[in-house]
Amino acid sequence: MKRSPGMRTYAMAERASHLDFDIRDQSVRQQLTQPHRHEYFQVLVTLRGEATHLIGGSVRKVRAGTVTFVLPYRSHVCVMPPGAEYVVISFSLRFLRPDSTLDPLGLEYANANASALPEIAPFLAQEVVDFMVGESDMPWLHATLDAMLRENRERRAFSAMMLRAFLLELIGGVCRRNDRVLAEALDARRALSNRQDWLVRVTRLMQERLGGDLALKDAADAANLSPGHLAHALKRETGRTFTELLTERRMERARELLMSSSLRLTEIAHATGFTDESYFARRFRQHFGVSPGAFRRQGEQETTGKAQFCPIDSQQPSIS
DNA sequence: GAACGGTGGCGTCTCACATA
DNA sequence: TATGTGAGACGCCACCGTTC
């Protein structure tokens, strides 16, 4: 299929060592220097040096003690000066809120209720708020990051739970220290009209119909757009085609079923919209780097502490 | 030997994209 | 908005390896 050389959208497997959560400092991986998107959430903590962040339509100079929150599928680039010290945290919505049924793609336009999903409030307000941690709180910030780096490095039993707790402490702590400006920003945001609720309708339809047939035309009908217009709009907003977005969600559902159920691969293939289990296995291998059966076995070993799943892509050097 | 899982080949269909 | 094109998505089939 023809692909224009547009803005790239990265998956966790391409930029992180784990599929659920990852944290690294400036020494681990080179920062991307071109505007790009992620499928996952990112928190960037600037510890030394003055950086420039372009997020969506805003350009901001940030200094040490700034915490930057980047929503999934938000175009951005962070330009760090030589010698800068920073920490990058990447995680999926499911890691942050395992009970959430929201689609990361629709978050930006969902007018999310900050009281129902307070963890994502700073991500929604990032373009108009500089989240700062004062000089006196820097020891707290360093201690929290050090604990996360250590736990992520060791990755043993209950590490996911510990990392989630540290992450919530970081997000909550930053929100608490910036609560007034954050509340004002969220109020202003709610006042805006929800111009792009078509994206919410499309992502909701994808989640509802993962196990069945879903064509571009169906999604276009749901969004009250022509198929051509919808395809173009999806590409513009997400960097992904309709099929790519749908396949990503099917793979994610398959991953969950492999980890949380004892269904046979054929049943999982059918449950995720594939009538051909061999084709399902092929796509799964393309997406995660391992076959479905191997993925399940690795997951079982991981839960018993014998091994840890690490996608093959994460072994590769930085892409930029 | 049966069940399950994985891979390869091949034909058909879908849809992104360019163009008018 | 309609249309043509072609790459990729998809399904079907055959075959092989592993496990029980």
Side-chain angles (χ1 to χ4, degrees):
Chain A
M1 205 169 286
K2 293 167 198 161
R3 293 276 181 271
S4 60
M7 190 183 300
R8 273 210 63 176
T9 302
Y10 292 97
M12 280 285 281
E14 293 173 292
R15 299 288 300 168
S17 299
H18 305 275
L19 290 179
D20 56 349
F21 173 94
D22 197 33
I23 178 170
R24 60 181 167 86
D25 63 22
Q26 70 284 340
S27 68
V28 175
R29 197 189 301 268
Q30 194 180 347
Q31 277 292 97
L32 295 168
T33 57
Q34 296 297 319
H36 58 280
R37 301 182 178 98
H38 302 132
E39 293 174 359
Y40 48 89
F41 289 84
Q42 193 169 75
V43 177
L44 200 149
V45 185
T46 305
L47 297 172
R48 191 171 77 180
E50 187 180 272
T52 304
H53 291 188
L54 291 82
I55 302 180
S58 76
V59 180
R60 322 182 81 79
K61 292 278 187 189
V62 303
R63 53 190 169 84
T66 301
V67 182
T68 306
F69 299 89
V70 184
L71 267 176
Y73 295 99
R74 201 75 179 108
S75 64
H76 70 284
V77 64
C78 301
V79 181
M80 293 291 183
E85 289 181 12
Y86 57 89
V87 168
V88 179
I89 305 169
S90 306
F91 54 93
S92 65
L93 176 60
R94 200 133 308 181
F95 179 83
L96 184 67
R97 281 286 293 258
D99 59 325
S100 175
T101 57
L102 288 173
D103 189 310
L105 183 56
L107 282 178
E108 188 167 351
Y109 309 113
N111 268 345
N113 183 338
S115 62
L117 208 60
E119 299 92 330
I120 69 163
F123 294 88
L124 297 173
Q126 177 61 61
E127 282 187 54
V128 292
V129 176
D130 287 320
F131 291 95
M132 293 295 300
V133 169
E135 195 69 36
S136 61
D137 287 325
M138 286 304 280
W140 163 78
L141 185 60
H142 277 285
T144 306
L145 295 173
D146 288 345
M148 296 168 91
L149 285 162
R150 188 170 54 249
E151 191 68 42
N152 192 55
R153 199 165 45 240
E154 294 174 357
R155 282 278 179 163
R156 50 201 163 121
F158 302 107
S159 281
M161 194 187 297
M162 296 291 291
L163 287 167
R164 187 178 300 115
F166 290 135
L167 179 61
L168 288 172
E169 181 184 346
L170 176 67
I171 296 173
V174 172
C175 287
R176 170 73 58 78
R177 287 162 173 81
N178 296 269
D179 57 353
R180 193 176 54 79
V181 286
L182 175 58
E184 289 171 0
L186 291 175
D187 285 345
R189 181 185 173 83
R190 271 191 287 274
L192 293 172
S193 64
N194 196 357
R195 291 188 304 273
Q196 287 176 293
D197 63 345
W198 62 268
L199 192 50
V200 176
R201 289 201 294 270
V202 169
T203 54
R204 190 178 300 145
L205 185 70
M206 283 184 179
Q207 295 292 353
E208 290 170 357
R209 305 249 308 258
L210 274 185
D213 284 339
L214 180 62
L216 179 67
K217 185 179 181 309
D218 301 323
D221 289 344
N224 293 325
L225 300 170
S226 72
H229 185 92
L230 175 62
H232 181 71
L234 280 174
K235 188 74 177 179
R236 185 188 64 235
E237 295 292 333
T238 71
R240 293 280 200 265
T241 66
F242 174 76
T243 306
E244 286 171 339
L245 289 167
L246 184 59
T247 301
E248 282 166 11
R249 277 143 191 80
R250 285 176 164 167
M251 290 295 114
E252 186 59 30
R253 174 73 59 83
R255 189 169 78 98
E256 289 169 22
L257 290 173
L258 282 166
M259 291 192 297
S260 64
S261 77
S262 57
L263 291 173
R264 291 185 297 121
L265 297 194
T266 302
E267 294 170 317
I268 291 176
H270 290 162
T272 51
F274 292 90
T275 58
D276 179 5
E277 59 270 26
S278 65
Y279 180 64
F280 161 72
R282 199 176 314 175
R283 293 311 306 267
F284 192 93
R285 187 179 180 82
Q286 282 177 357
H287 197 79
F288 291 112
V290 294
S291 66
F295 183 90
R296 174 175 269 167
R297 286 192 292 277
Q298 285 177 330
E300 288 167 353
Q301 287 177 339
E302 185 174 356
T303 56
T304 56
K306 292 176 186 165
Q308 179 173 296
F309 174 69
C310 189
I312 56 171
D313 287 347
S314 66
Q315 307 299 325
Q316 298 171 348
S318 175
I319 288 162
S320 56

